[in-house]
Amino acid sequence: MENSSNSDENYDVGYQPSPCSTDPNDQSTMSGDSFVYCRTYSSTSVFSEPVDDHHSCCSEASPSCSSHWSTRRSGGVVPQKQALLTRLVTKQCKNSNAGDHQKLDDLESLDLATVFGQNLRLEPLNPEKKALWKREMDCLLSVCDYIVEFTPKSHNLRNGAAVEIMESRQRSDIYINLPALRKLDAMLIEILDSFQDREFWYAEQGSMSANSTRMGSFRRVVQRNDEKWWVPVPCVPSSGLTEKARKHLRHKRECANQIHKAAMSINNSVLSEMEIPDSYMASLPKSGRASIGDPIYRYMYTTEKFSPEYLLDCLNIASEHEALELADRVEASMYTWRRKACMIHSKSSWSMVKDLMSDVDRSDKNHILAERAESLLFSLKQRYPELSQTSLDTCKIQYNRDVGQAILESYSRVLEGLAFNIVAWIEDVFFVDSTTRNQD
């Protein structure tokens, strides 16, 4: 086994990140201007740790119609936004000495084109935003009506004979997932609508607004991150929230949590069905051992009873950033070993490798390592359920050519992000309430 031509001991090239994960020309199916979210951190939480907002915002956005996509892909500006920006710049030039209140009004007028992108509060969407969101979704999802497959159906003729005919319906993945996503969408809107009458309020743009001059303003007890200056600060009365309000918040937090899990499950399912790009397979390291490092490799190779949980405990992962980096390396090594296990068939494309995995010798060293890497990756994602998408997932999204999968992935990702942020906003209010009551 040690002298096998496919042995992983002989390596000379270290793991190189897939170019698709760092390509500055990356074009995804989502626009980059209207939704702020990443799985690892809530970039809209007032009290979250600072993150690199440029990288966390570049790929998460609200889906829109095809004309919107084509305009952004060509490097131009969406006409509607361009007009709004032009009016905003002109207005600022004419009124250079205008007060902060006027500037906020201008920002709110610009906000009408972004739906959830600037909706950073627990409050109902205004009618304009709701109408815009509905138009965007109708435009995006209308394509799914034409992504169909043929299924057999029994039909009785007039003479009593039974025949089987073929009828068309939405492709199975769309037929199953799209109604579920629509339902999750409606539930999230309902959660926001439930905060029509609330006991808390917000301080605007890092300063005291007209609504935040009440007694018990949260600004006197908490210092916020300067990096999050745009996030409204939640405020509660000096006596804190009533038990009825806290019960309502807990219920909505649990609902949003369940929606987040459901949307993430659909997103992961869609990603798993996407074809692995040849560019990713070509970028894999020559050695899985070089990818994961000697300590992890030795444990995976030498132990008789492999325990991924024990290995993760020994690694002492300090942050989700480290967890994501490990996930990338483990995933790359897994596919490297799978490719080596199938190398005897001289098949390089992943579609052929996947078909031939059942014919591989189960006692082969590379196959065993690949299976253990897969279990390690699964345990890692279970331990960090809100882990950001790996380099492979990002590469799949970039090079995916299946329109149906692109729609399901983008729609579920946006809903996942909104649910995650709603939970973060509720947690912020709970933190304010707890701190205010402790002050008393």
Side-chain angles (χ1 to χ4, degrees), residues 189-220:
I189 299 297
E190 289 176 3
I191 290 178
L192 292 177
D193 287 342
S194 70
F195 290 100
Q196 177 68 47
D197 298 321
R198 61 186 187 220
E199 297 181 4
F200 58 91
W201 64 99
Y202 289 92
E204 302 286 348
Q205 301 292 325
S207 61
M208 300 298 290
S209 67
N211 292 329
S212 62
T213 56
R214 309 177 191 177
M215 292 298 294
S217 172
F218 179 56
R219 286 180 54 78
R220 62 185 174 88

PDB file of all heavy atoms in Angstrom, residues 189-220:
ATOM      1  N   ILE A 189     -41.954  37.927   6.021  1.00  0.00           N
ATOM      2  CA  ILE A 189     -42.675  39.200   5.917  1.00  0.00           C
ATOM      3  C   ILE A 189     -43.655  39.342   7.082  1.00  0.00           C
ATOM      4  O   ILE A 189     -43.818  40.426   7.659  1.00  0.00           O
ATOM      5  CB  ILE A 189     -43.413  39.303   4.577  1.00  0.00           C
ATOM      6  CG1 ILE A 189     -42.423  39.231   3.400  1.00  0.00           C
ATOM      7  CG2 ILE A 189     -44.223  40.589   4.510  1.00  0.00           C
ATOM      8  CD1 ILE A 189     -41.431  40.371   3.367  1.00  0.00           C
ATOM      9  N   GLU A 190     -44.305  38.226   7.454  1.00  0.00           N
ATOM     10  CA  GLU A 190     -45.244  38.253   8.575  1.00  0.00           C
ATOM     11  C   GLU A 190     -44.529  38.578   9.882  1.00  0.00           C
ATOM     12  O   GLU A 190     -45.075  39.280  10.745  1.00  0.00           O
ATOM     13  CB  GLU A 190     -45.959  36.908   8.685  1.00  0.00           C
ATOM     14  CG  GLU A 190     -46.970  36.653   7.571  1.00  0.00           C
ATOM     15  CD  GLU A 190     -47.592  35.273   7.671  1.00  0.00           C
ATOM     16  OE1 GLU A 190     -47.267  34.545   8.645  1.00  0.00           O
ATOM     17  OE2 GLU A 190     -48.390  34.914   6.789  1.00  0.00           O
ATOM     18  N   ILE A 191     -43.316  38.051  10.058  1.00  0.00           N
ATOM     19  CA  ILE A 191     -42.558  38.352  11.274  1.00  0.00           C
ATOM     20  C   ILE A 191     -42.278  39.852  11.368  1.00  0.00           C
ATOM     21  O   ILE A 191     -42.456  40.471  12.426  1.00  0.00           O
ATOM     22  CB  ILE A 191     -41.250  37.547  11.303  1.00  0.00           C
ATOM     23  CG1 ILE A 191     -41.544  36.062  11.523  1.00  0.00           C
ATOM     24  CG2 ILE A 191     -40.328  38.063  12.403  1.00  0.00           C
ATOM     25  CD1 ILE A 191     -40.312  35.178  11.508  1.00  0.00           C
ATOM     26  N   LEU A 192     -41.840  40.449  10.267  1.00  0.00           N
ATOM     27  CA  LEU A 192     -41.588  41.891  10.279  1.00  0.00           C
ATOM     28  C   LEU A 192     -42.879  42.677  10.516  1.00  0.00           C
ATOM     29  O   LEU A 192     -42.877  43.680  11.231  1.00  0.00           O
ATOM     30  CB  LEU A 192     -40.934  42.315   8.959  1.00  0.00           C
ATOM     31  CG  LEU A 192     -39.515  41.812   8.712  1.00  0.00           C
ATOM     32  CD1 LEU A 192     -39.025  42.249   7.338  1.00  0.00           C
ATOM     33  CD2 LEU A 192     -38.559  42.316   9.791  1.00  0.00           C
ATOM     34  N   ASP A 193     -43.973  42.220   9.916  1.00  0.00           N
ATOM     35  CA  ASP A 193     -45.254  42.912  10.095  1.00  0.00           C
ATOM     36  C   ASP A 193     -45.738  42.851  11.546  1.00  0.00           C
ATOM     37  O   ASP A 193     -46.491  43.722  11.995  1.00  0.00           O
ATOM     38  CB  ASP A 193     -46.321  42.302   9.180  1.00  0.00           C
ATOM     39  CG  ASP A 193     -46.116  42.671   7.724  1.00  0.00           C
ATOM     40  OD1 ASP A 193     -45.387  43.647   7.458  1.00  0.00           O
ATOM     41  OD2 ASP A 193     -46.674  41.979   6.846  1.00  0.00           O
ATOM     42  N   SER A 194     -45.321  41.827  12.280  1.00  0.00           N
ATOM     43  CA  SER A 194     -45.781  41.670  13.669  1.00  0.00           C
ATOM     44  C   SER A 194     -45.193  42.719  14.602  1.00  0.00           C
ATOM     45  O   SER A 194     -45.615  42.833  15.751  1.00  0.00           O
ATOM     46  CB  SER A 194     -45.422  40.272  14.186  1.00  0.00           C
ATOM     47  OG  SER A 194     -44.023  40.130  14.370  1.00  0.00           O
ATOM     48  N   PHE A 195     -44.227  43.491  14.125  1.00  0.00           N
ATOM     49  CA  PHE A 195     -43.613  44.527  14.951  1.00  0.00           C
ATOM     50  C   PHE A 195     -44.184  45.908  14.641  1.00  0.00           C
ATOM     51  O   PHE A 195     -43.494  46.922  14.771  1.00  0.00           O
ATOM     52  CB  PHE A 195     -42.094  44.530  14.750  1.00  0.00           C
ATOM     53  CG  PHE A 195     -41.408  43.318  15.325  1.00  0.00           C
ATOM     54  CD1 PHE A 195     -41.038  42.261  14.503  1.00  0.00           C
ATOM     55  CD2 PHE A 195     -41.171  43.224  16.680  1.00  0.00           C
ATOM     56  CE1 PHE A 195     -40.425  41.132  15.021  1.00  0.00           C
ATOM     57  CE2 PHE A 195     -40.551  42.102  17.213  1.00  0.00           C
ATOM     58  CZ  PHE A 195     -40.180  41.054  16.387  1.00  0.00           C
ATOM     59  N   GLN A 196     -45.442  45.930  14.231  1.00  0.00           N
ATOM     60  CA  GLN A 196     -46.111  47.202  13.973  1.00  0.00           C
ATOM     61  C   GLN A 196     -46.218  48.021  15.261  1.00  0.00           C
ATOM     62  O   GLN A 196     -45.886  49.205  15.311  1.00  0.00           O
ATOM     63  CB  GLN A 196     -47.501  46.946  13.392  1.00  0.00           C
ATOM     64  CG  GLN A 196     -48.321  48.201  13.140  1.00  0.00           C
ATOM     65  CD  GLN A 196     -47.734  49.044  12.016  1.00  0.00           C
ATOM     66  OE1 GLN A 196     -47.402  48.524  10.961  1.00  0.00           O
ATOM     67  NE2 GLN A 196     -47.602  50.347  12.257  1.00  0.00           N
ATOM     68  N   ASP A 197     -46.694  47.387  16.330  1.00  0.00           N
ATOM     69  CA  ASP A 197     -46.788  48.027  17.640  1.00  0.00           C
ATOM     70  C   ASP A 197     -45.730  47.400  18.538  1.00  0.00           C
ATOM     71  O   ASP A 197     -45.818  46.217  18.883  1.00  0.00           O
ATOM     72  CB  ASP A 197     -48.188  47.827  18.236  1.00  0.00           C
ATOM     73  CG  ASP A 197     -49.266  48.462  17.380  1.00  0.00           C
ATOM     74  OD1 ASP A 197     -49.014  49.567  16.863  1.00  0.00           O
ATOM     75  OD2 ASP A 197     -50.333  47.847  17.226  1.00  0.00           O
ATOM     76  N   ARG A 198     -44.737  48.172  18.909  1.00  0.00           N
ATOM     77  CA  ARG A 198     -43.624  47.650  19.688  1.00  0.00           C
ATOM     78  C   ARG A 198     -43.263  48.615  20.804  1.00  0.00           C
ATOM     79  O   ARG A 198     -43.561  49.808  20.726  1.00  0.00           O
ATOM     80  CB  ARG A 198     -42.413  47.408  18.783  1.00  0.00           C
ATOM     81  CG  ARG A 198     -41.914  48.682  18.120  1.00  0.00           C
ATOM     82  CD  ARG A 198     -40.831  48.428  17.125  1.00  0.00           C
ATOM     83  NE  ARG A 198     -40.284  49.692  16.646  1.00  0.00           N
ATOM     84  CZ  ARG A 198     -39.955  49.941  15.406  1.00  0.00           C
ATOM     85  NH1 ARG A 198     -40.122  49.012  14.493  1.00  0.00           N
ATOM     86  NH2 ARG A 198     -39.452  51.108  15.063  1.00  0.00           N
ATOM     87  N   GLU A 199     -42.615  48.079  21.815  1.00  0.00           N
ATOM     88  CA  GLU A 199     -42.237  48.878  22.966  1.00  0.00           C
ATOM     89  C   GLU A 199     -40.829  49.453  22.846  1.00  0.00           C
ATOM     90  O   GLU A 199     -40.430  50.273  23.659  1.00  0.00           O
ATOM     91  CB  GLU A 199     -42.332  48.028  24.245  1.00  0.00           C
ATOM     92  CG  GLU A 199     -43.738  47.550  24.549  1.00  0.00           C
ATOM     93  CD  GLU A 199     -43.784  46.728  25.824  1.00  0.00           C
ATOM     94  OE1 GLU A 199     -42.732  46.612  26.492  1.00  0.00           O
ATOM     95  OE2 GLU A 199     -44.864  46.201  26.153  1.00  0.00           O
ATOM     96  N   PHE A 200     -40.078  49.007  21.889  1.00  0.00           N
ATOM     97  CA  PHE A 200     -38.719  49.521  21.689  1.00  0.00           C
ATOM     98  C   PHE A 200     -38.683  50.399  20.452  1.00  0.00           C
ATOM     99  O   PHE A 200     -39.609  50.399  19.645  1.00  0.00           O
ATOM    100  CB  PHE A 200     -37.716  48.361  21.560  1.00  0.00           C
ATOM    101  CG  PHE A 200     -38.028  47.409  20.441  1.00  0.00           C
ATOM    102  CD1 PHE A 200     -37.497  47.588  19.170  1.00  0.00           C
ATOM    103  CD2 PHE A 200     -38.862  46.310  20.657  1.00  0.00           C
ATOM    104  CE1 PHE A 200     -37.781  46.711  18.137  1.00  0.00           C
ATOM    105  CE2 PHE A 200     -39.148  45.420  19.623  1.00  0.00           C
ATOM    106  CZ  PHE A 200     -38.614  45.623  18.372  1.00  0.00           C
ATOM    107  N   TRP A 201     -37.633  51.160  20.308  1.00  0.00           N
ATOM    108  CA  TRP A 201     -37.454  52.033  19.149  1.00  0.00           C
ATOM    109  C   TRP A 201     -35.981  52.088  18.801  1.00  0.00           C
ATOM    110  O   TRP A 201     -35.169  51.375  19.395  1.00  0.00           O
ATOM    111  CB  TRP A 201     -38.040  53.423  19.421  1.00  0.00           C
ATOM    112  CG  TRP A 201     -37.366  54.182  20.521  1.00  0.00           C
ATOM    113  CD1 TRP A 201     -36.420  55.154  20.415  1.00  0.00           C
ATOM    114  CD2 TRP A 201     -37.588  54.037  21.933  1.00  0.00           C
ATOM    115  NE1 TRP A 201     -36.033  55.621  21.644  1.00  0.00           N
ATOM    116  CE2 TRP A 201     -36.735  54.950  22.592  1.00  0.00           C
ATOM    117  CE3 TRP A 201     -38.428  53.206  22.684  1.00  0.00           C
ATOM    118  CZ2 TRP A 201     -36.699  55.066  23.985  1.00  0.00           C
ATOM    119  CZ3 TRP A 201     -38.393  53.320  24.066  1.00  0.00           C
ATOM    120  CH2 TRP A 201     -37.538  54.239  24.704  1.00  0.00           C
ATOM    121  N   TYR A 202     -35.602  52.931  17.844  1.00  0.00           N
ATOM    122  CA  TYR A 202     -34.227  52.964  17.357  1.00  0.00           C
ATOM    123  C   TYR A 202     -33.690  54.390  17.317  1.00  0.00           C
ATOM    124  O   TYR A 202     -34.417  55.339  17.011  1.00  0.00           O
ATOM    125  CB  TYR A 202     -34.127  52.368  15.943  1.00  0.00           C
ATOM    126  CG  TYR A 202     -34.333  50.879  15.909  1.00  0.00           C
ATOM    127  CD1 TYR A 202     -35.599  50.339  15.693  1.00  0.00           C
ATOM    128  CD2 TYR A 202     -33.265  50.009  16.089  1.00  0.00           C
ATOM    129  CE1 TYR A 202     -35.790  48.968  15.661  1.00  0.00           C
ATOM    130  CE2 TYR A 202     -33.446  48.633  16.059  1.00  0.00           C
ATOM    131  CZ  TYR A 202     -34.712  48.115  15.849  1.00  0.00           C
ATOM    132  OH  TYR A 202     -34.897  46.760  15.818  1.00  0.00           O
ATOM    133  N   ALA A 203     -32.392  54.505  17.622  1.00  0.00           N
ATOM    134  CA  ALA A 203     -31.666  55.747  17.405  1.00  0.00           C
ATOM    135  C   ALA A 203     -31.085  55.708  16.003  1.00  0.00           C
ATOM    136  O   ALA A 203     -30.517  54.697  15.586  1.00  0.00           O
ATOM    137  CB  ALA A 203     -30.550  55.916  18.431  1.00  0.00           C
ATOM    138  N   GLU A 204     -31.240  56.783  15.254  1.00  0.00           N
ATOM    139  CA  GLU A 204     -30.889  56.795  13.845  1.00  0.00           C
ATOM    140  C   GLU A 204     -29.445  57.204  13.596  1.00  0.00           C
ATOM    141  O   GLU A 204     -28.948  58.142  14.208  1.00  0.00           O
ATOM    142  CB  GLU A 204     -31.793  57.780  13.077  1.00  0.00           C
ATOM    143  CG  GLU A 204     -33.266  57.473  13.192  1.00  0.00           C
ATOM    144  CD  GLU A 204     -33.666  56.276  12.368  1.00  0.00           C
ATOM    145  OE1 GLU A 204     -32.837  55.847  11.554  1.00  0.00           O
ATOM    146  OE2 GLU A 204     -34.783  55.767  12.539  1.00  0.00           O
ATOM    147  N   GLN A 205     -28.771  56.506  12.689  1.00  0.00           N
ATOM    148  CA  GLN A 205     -27.474  56.916  12.172  1.00  0.00           C
ATOM    149  C   GLN A 205     -26.476  57.267  13.266  1.00  0.00           C
ATOM    150  O   GLN A 205     -25.673  58.180  13.145  1.00  0.00           O
ATOM    151  CB  GLN A 205     -27.634  58.113  11.240  1.00  0.00           C
ATOM    152  CG  GLN A 205     -28.540  57.851  10.053  1.00  0.00           C
ATOM    153  CD  GLN A 205     -27.919  56.862   9.085  1.00  0.00           C
ATOM    154  OE1 GLN A 205     -26.706  56.846   8.904  1.00  0.00           O
ATOM    155  NE2 GLN A 205     -28.732  56.029   8.459  1.00  0.00           N
ATOM    156  N   GLY A 206     -26.536  56.538  14.369  1.00  0.00           N
ATOM    157  CA  GLY A 206     -25.584  56.770  15.442  1.00  0.00           C
ATOM    158  C   GLY A 206     -25.837  58.046  16.232  1.00  0.00           C
ATOM    159  O   GLY A 206     -25.015  58.474  17.011  1.00  0.00           O
ATOM    160  N   SER A 207     -26.983  58.709  16.033  1.00  0.00           N
ATOM    161  CA  SER A 207     -27.300  59.928  16.776  1.00  0.00           C
ATOM    162  C   SER A 207     -28.714  59.815  17.305  1.00  0.00           C
ATOM    163  O   SER A 207     -29.490  58.960  16.891  1.00  0.00           O
ATOM    164  CB  SER A 207     -27.185  61.163  15.877  1.00  0.00           C
ATOM    165  OG  SER A 207     -28.093  61.077  14.813  1.00  0.00           O
ATOM    166  N   MET A 208     -29.065  60.675  18.196  1.00  0.00           N
ATOM    167  CA  MET A 208     -30.380  60.626  18.813  1.00  0.00           C
ATOM    168  C   MET A 208     -31.424  61.187  17.866  1.00  0.00           C
ATOM    169  O   MET A 208     -31.338  62.323  17.423  1.00  0.00           O
ATOM    170  CB  MET A 208     -30.377  61.442  20.113  1.00  0.00           C
ATOM    171  CG  MET A 208     -29.366  60.930  21.127  1.00  0.00           C
ATOM    172  SD  MET A 208     -29.718  59.255  21.657  1.00  0.00           S
ATOM    173  CE  MET A 208     -31.190  59.556  22.617  1.00  0.00           C
ATOM    174  N   SER A 209     -32.422  60.393  17.536  1.00  0.00           N
ATOM    175  CA  SER A 209     -33.502  60.844  16.666  1.00  0.00           C
ATOM    176  C   SER A 209     -34.651  61.371  17.519  1.00  0.00           C
ATOM    177  O   SER A 209     -34.625  61.343  18.741  1.00  0.00           O
ATOM    178  CB  SER A 209     -33.993  59.689  15.798  1.00  0.00           C
ATOM    179  OG  SER A 209     -34.618  58.707  16.608  1.00  0.00           O
ATOM    180  N   ALA A 210     -35.679  61.827  16.835  1.00  0.00           N
ATOM    181  CA  ALA A 210     -36.835  62.355  17.565  1.00  0.00           C
ATOM    182  C   ALA A 210     -37.482  61.290  18.427  1.00  0.00           C
ATOM    183  O   ALA A 210     -38.025  61.568  19.488  1.00  0.00           O
ATOM    184  CB  ALA A 210     -37.854  62.921  16.570  1.00  0.00           C
ATOM    185  N   ASN A 211     -37.437  60.034  17.976  1.00  0.00           N
ATOM    186  CA  ASN A 211     -38.058  58.950  18.717  1.00  0.00           C
ATOM    187  C   ASN A 211     -37.175  58.411  19.834  1.00  0.00           C
ATOM    188  O   ASN A 211     -37.609  57.589  20.626  1.00  0.00           O
ATOM    189  CB  ASN A 211     -38.424  57.798  17.769  1.00  0.00           C
ATOM    190  CG  ASN A 211     -39.527  58.177  16.823  1.00  0.00           C
ATOM    191  OD1 ASN A 211     -40.385  58.986  17.161  1.00  0.00           O
ATOM    192  ND2 ASN A 211     -39.523  57.583  15.645  1.00  0.00           N
ATOM    193  N   SER A 212     -35.900  58.794  19.859  1.00  0.00           N
ATOM    194  CA  SER A 212     -34.976  58.221  20.830  1.00  0.00           C
ATOM    195  C   SER A 212     -34.684  59.167  21.974  1.00  0.00           C
ATOM    196  O   SER A 212     -33.719  59.002  22.697  1.00  0.00           O
ATOM    197  CB  SER A 212     -33.665  57.844  20.142  1.00  0.00           C
ATOM    198  OG  SER A 212     -33.055  58.978  19.601  1.00  0.00           O
ATOM    199  N   THR A 213     -35.510  60.183  22.155  1.00  0.00           N
ATOM    200  CA  THR A 213     -35.289  61.143  23.231  1.00  0.00           C
ATOM    201  C   THR A 213     -36.027  60.750  24.495  1.00  0.00           C
ATOM    202  O   THR A 213     -36.038  61.482  25.465  1.00  0.00           O
ATOM    203  CB  THR A 213     -35.752  62.541  22.789  1.00  0.00           C
ATOM    204  OG1 THR A 213     -37.130  62.478  22.390  1.00  0.00           O
ATOM    205  CG2 THR A 213     -34.907  63.045  21.638  1.00  0.00           C
ATOM    206  N   ARG A 214     -36.677  59.583  24.479  1.00  0.00           N
ATOM    207  CA  ARG A 214     -37.381  59.135  25.668  1.00  0.00           C
ATOM    208  C   ARG A 214     -36.389  58.763  26.764  1.00  0.00           C
ATOM    209  O   ARG A 214     -35.221  58.546  26.534  1.00  0.00           O
ATOM    210  CB  ARG A 214     -38.258  57.925  25.332  1.00  0.00           C
ATOM    211  CG  ARG A 214     -39.150  58.139  24.123  1.00  0.00           C
ATOM    212  CD  ARG A 214     -39.913  56.876  23.829  1.00  0.00           C
ATOM    213  NE  ARG A 214     -40.577  56.951  22.533  1.00  0.00           N
ATOM    214  CZ  ARG A 214     -41.274  55.954  22.008  1.00  0.00           C
ATOM    215  NH1 ARG A 214     -41.389  54.821  22.651  1.00  0.00           N
ATOM    216  NH2 ARG A 214     -41.842  56.093  20.830  1.00  0.00           N
ATOM    217  N   MET A 215     -36.915  58.633  27.974  1.00  0.00           N
ATOM    218  CA  MET A 215     -36.070  58.217  29.088  1.00  0.00           C
ATOM    219  C   MET A 215     -35.622  56.787  28.860  1.00  0.00           C
ATOM    220  O   MET A 215     -36.344  55.956  28.321  1.00  0.00           O
ATOM    221  CB  MET A 215     -36.866  58.323  30.394  1.00  0.00           C
ATOM    222  CG  MET A 215     -37.198  59.749  30.781  1.00  0.00           C
ATOM    223  SD  MET A 215     -35.720  60.737  31.083  1.00  0.00           S
ATOM    224  CE  MET A 215     -35.097  59.906  32.544  1.00  0.00           C
ATOM    225  N   GLY A 216     -34.428  56.485  29.311  1.00  0.00           N
ATOM    226  CA  GLY A 216     -33.934  55.127  29.197  1.00  0.00           C
ATOM    227  C   GLY A 216     -33.262  54.841  27.882  1.00  0.00           C
ATOM    228  O   GLY A 216     -33.200  53.699  27.464  1.00  0.00           O
ATOM    229  N   SER A 217     -32.786  55.840  27.197  1.00  0.00           N
ATOM    230  CA  SER A 217     -32.102  55.607  25.936  1.00  0.00           C
ATOM    231  C   SER A 217     -30.917  54.677  26.140  1.00  0.00           C
ATOM    232  O   SER A 217     -30.136  54.825  27.082  1.00  0.00           O
ATOM    233  CB  SER A 217     -31.616  56.924  25.341  1.00  0.00           C
ATOM    234  OG  SER A 217     -30.800  56.676  24.223  1.00  0.00           O
ATOM    235  N   PHE A 218     -30.783  53.719  25.266  1.00  0.00           N
ATOM    236  CA  PHE A 218     -29.729  52.715  25.393  1.00  0.00           C
ATOM    237  C   PHE A 218     -28.349  53.309  25.181  1.00  0.00           C
ATOM    238  O   PHE A 218     -27.355  52.751  25.642  1.00  0.00           O
ATOM    239  CB  PHE A 218     -30.002  51.608  24.380  1.00  0.00           C
ATOM    240  CG  PHE A 218     -28.968  50.522  24.379  1.00  0.00           C
ATOM    241  CD1 PHE A 218     -28.658  49.838  25.540  1.00  0.00           C
ATOM    242  CD2 PHE A 218     -28.294  50.209  23.217  1.00  0.00           C
ATOM    243  CE1 PHE A 218     -27.711  48.846  25.540  1.00  0.00           C
ATOM    244  CE2 PHE A 218     -27.338  49.208  23.212  1.00  0.00           C
ATOM    245  CZ  PHE A 218     -27.058  48.523  24.379  1.00  0.00           C
ATOM    246  N   ARG A 219     -28.252  54.433  24.519  1.00  0.00           N
ATOM    247  CA  ARG A 219     -26.953  55.005  24.185  1.00  0.00           C
ATOM    248  C   ARG A 219     -26.152  55.388  25.428  1.00  0.00           C
ATOM    249  O   ARG A 219     -24.934  55.494  25.369  1.00  0.00           O
ATOM    250  CB  ARG A 219     -27.125  56.229  23.293  1.00  0.00           C
ATOM    251  CG  ARG A 219     -27.498  55.888  21.877  1.00  0.00           C
ATOM    252  CD  ARG A 219     -27.661  57.145  21.047  1.00  0.00           C
ATOM    253  NE  ARG A 219     -26.483  57.978  21.113  1.00  0.00           N
ATOM    254  CZ  ARG A 219     -25.366  57.759  20.433  1.00  0.00           C
ATOM    255  NH1 ARG A 219     -25.272  56.696  19.669  1.00  0.00           N
ATOM    256  NH2 ARG A 219     -24.336  58.577  20.530  1.00  0.00           N
ATOM    257  N   ARG A 220     -26.778  55.556  26.545  1.00  0.00           N
ATOM    258  CA  ARG A 220     -26.026  55.971  27.728  1.00  0.00           C
ATOM    259  C   ARG A 220     -25.386  54.794  28.448  1.00  0.00           C
ATOM    260  O   ARG A 220     -24.659  55.009  29.428  1.00  0.00           O
ATOM    261  CB  ARG A 220     -26.938  56.726  28.683  1.00  0.00           C
ATOM    262  CG  ARG A 220     -28.109  55.937  29.223  1.00  0.00           C
ATOM    263  CD  ARG A 220     -29.007  56.839  30.074  1.00  0.00           C
ATOM    264  NE  ARG A 220     -30.219  56.160  30.494  1.00  0.00           N
ATOM    265  CZ  ARG A 220     -30.310  55.443  31.593  1.00  0.00           C
ATOM    266  NH1 ARG A 220     -29.259  55.288  32.367  1.00  0.00           N
ATOM    267  NH2 ARG A 220     -31.459  54.875  31.908  1.00  0.00           N
TER     268      ARG A 220
END
